[in-house]
Amino acid sequence: MNRTLFAAASAIALLGLAACGDNQKAGAPGEAGGQGILAVGSSTVFPFASRVAENFSRTSGGAAPRVESLGTGGGIQKFCEGVGAGTADIANASRPMKKSEFELCQKNGVTDIVEIKIGFDGIVIATARNGEAMNFRLQDLYLGLAKEVPGANGAFAANPATAWNQVNPGLPSQRIQVYGPPPTSGTRDAFLELGMAPGAKLIPALAAIEDKDRFETLAHTLREDNAWIDSGENDNAIVQTLTRTPGSLGVFGFSFLEQNMDTVKPLTIDGVAPSVATIADGSYPLARSLYIYVKKQHVGVTPGLREFVMEFISEAAAGRGGYLQDRGLVPLPADQLAAQRAIVTAMTPMTSPQ
């Protein structure tokens, strides 16, 4: 069974176990028969959280934590709904929590949030295994995928490019058709922050814009003419689309690349291919950190919550050679992982993002 099928089977099994636990829910978390652990959010973090939940259930003998893939934005919104029965214990995220999200949590009584970095991932631009190799400059991403680009007279206009060689003569004459995550996805947010915005800054007409909001609007607004196609929160669906649509490209997390190397291959950015080494050392331009956010008010109330989080950042799980690395997570350096364990041990709440 390949890794993708194994992950899907594991997720179904976990949901089945969780459903059994749900039938016994009563009252607030921590009461007899109260809810089990609920983690919601990023599709990128989903396979890691599911794997930890599986291992935690096996070693603790308890019900498996329930893990839902809603996208980072959707997961954090659910996490911030409040405290108590029926609310999430953990938000999985493939980007840092935004200030507006933190403030929503505070407004709804989620006043103590513990931010834990679990490792690294990369945003991959990939094509089918038999597709043409391509090397993008960062500015190629903006010029190919932005809704508006500078025109001949300096004014911004609808993106006219239909093929990649119109963006950069060094790229093939292949139509621009990219399948990627929707606005609720942390992978999309990271792609905009790590790829589109830095690419825009390399273009003089955009670099000259002093209005921060204007620049961000131009850099973060993707095409709506089917050159960029939102494909839902399921990264596996994007992978499958590439094999069925010759010449198309996909944007998804590195872990999904590792699980599907038999069918897709990565394209390089500024000559650098995504790998464990290039993501860990930051030489791959689209590298990012992954997080879980824990509701401290549920620690000691939702049974097993602290222990589950400790398992998530244990050496066996998140360390070098751990079972999450096998699933595609790029581990933190030893000193950084130790620092995250100290945060969990003390359950140190985060401060407001800037």
Side-chain angles (χ1 to χ4, degrees):
M1 183 181 292
N2 64 32
R3 290 185 184 177
T4 301
L5 290 175
F6 178 79
S10 297
I12 292 169
L14 289 173
L15 289 172
L17 283 171
C20 293
D22 282 350
N23 291 334
Q24 300 176 359
K25 283 184 181 180
E31 293 181 358
Q35 76 171 32
I37 299 166
L38 173 61
V40 298
S42 167
S43 63
T44 300
V45 179
F46 175 79
F48 306 136
S50 296
R51 178 67 179 84
V52 176
E54 177 187 356
N55 197 70
F56 179 76
S57 176
R58 184 172 59 248
T59 57
S60 70
R66 182 154 53 103
V67 184
E68 297 180 357
S69 177
L70 307 176
T72 294
I76 292 178
Q77 184 173 11
K78 188 173 181 66
F79 175 82
C80 291
E81 286 178 351
V83 175
T87 65
D89 303 289
I90 296 171
N92 300 324
S94 54
R95 57 158 173 79
M97 180 179 283
K98 299 176 181 178
K99 182 177 182 181
S100 59
E101 293 168 334
F102 182 86
E103 291 173 346
L104 174 64
C105 269
Q106 300 293 307
K107 177 182 176 182
N108 291 336
V110 184
T111 55
D112 292 315
I113 304 166
V114 182
E115 178 185 71
I116 304 154
K117 185 186 295 187
I118 62 167
F120 303 111
D121 184 39
I123 308 298
V124 172
I125 302 174
T127 190
R129 194 72 200 164
N130 60 355
E132 190 163 358
M134 301 170 69
N135 176 47
F136 289 104
R137 307 170 301 172
L138 282 174
Q139 57 263 49
D140 296 337
L141 302 180
Y142 172 81
L143 291 171
L145 297 174
K147 182 177 180 180
E148 294 186 352
V149 295
N153 60 358
F156 286 84
N159 196 329
T162 57
W164 285 111
N165 65 336
Q166 296 169 357
V167 169
N168 175 356
L171 296 174
S173 56
Q174 184 172 300
R175 65 175 173 168
I176 300 174
Q177 185 177 33
V178 180
Y179 293 86
T184 54
S185 171
T187 298
R188 179 178 175 130
D189 290 337
F191 177 69
L192 297 176
E193 291 289 344
L194 300 173
M196 294 290 287
K201 289 178 181 177
L202 295 173
I203 299 168
L206 282 111
I209 296 175
E210 296 182 357
D211 184 332
K212 182 179 177 181
D213 291 338
R214 171 66 172 158
F215 174 86
E216 186 170 298
T217 296
L218 289 166
H220 286 193
T221 304
L222 295 168
R223 297 175 68 163
E224 300 171 349
D225 57 359
N226 288 322
W228 171 278
I229 303 166
D230 287 345
S231 298
E233 293 288 358
N234 187 347
D235 289 356
N236 281 318
I238 298 177
V239 169
Q240 293 163 14
T241 298
L242 300 186
T243 63
R244 298 194 301 263
T245 314
S248 64
L249 308 182
V251 174
F252 47 83
F254 176 72
S255 61
F256 287 91
L257 171 71
E258 287 218 317
Q259 294 168 27
N260 294 278
M261 286 293 285
D262 56 333
T263 56
V264 297
K265 65 182 178 183
L267 306 177
T268 57
I269 309 293
D270 289 338
V272 182
S275 69
V276 170
T278 59
I279 291 170
D281 67 17
S283 59
Y284 180 64
L286 305 188
R288 60 175 172 175
S289 298
L290 302 179
Y291 301 86
I292 61 173
Y293 291 90
V294 179
K295 197 171 288 180
K296 183 175 180 179
Q297 290 141 295
H298 283 195
V299 174
V301 181
T302 299
L305 180 56
R306 181 190 294 272
E307 292 77 13
F308 175 68
V309 176
M310 287 301 296
E311 171 67 21
F312 217 130
I313 59 166
S314 68
E315 194 65 28
R320 293 196 178 279
Y323 61 76
L324 292 183
Q325 184 173 353
D326 182 62
R327 187 59 65 87
L329 183 73
V330 177
L332 295 170
D335 59 335
Q336 292 187 32
L337 186 56
Q340 296 305 305
R341 289 196 193 109
I343 290 173
V344 174
T345 299
M347 279 291 159
T348 308
M350 67 183 289
T351 57
S352 175
Q354 299 304 309

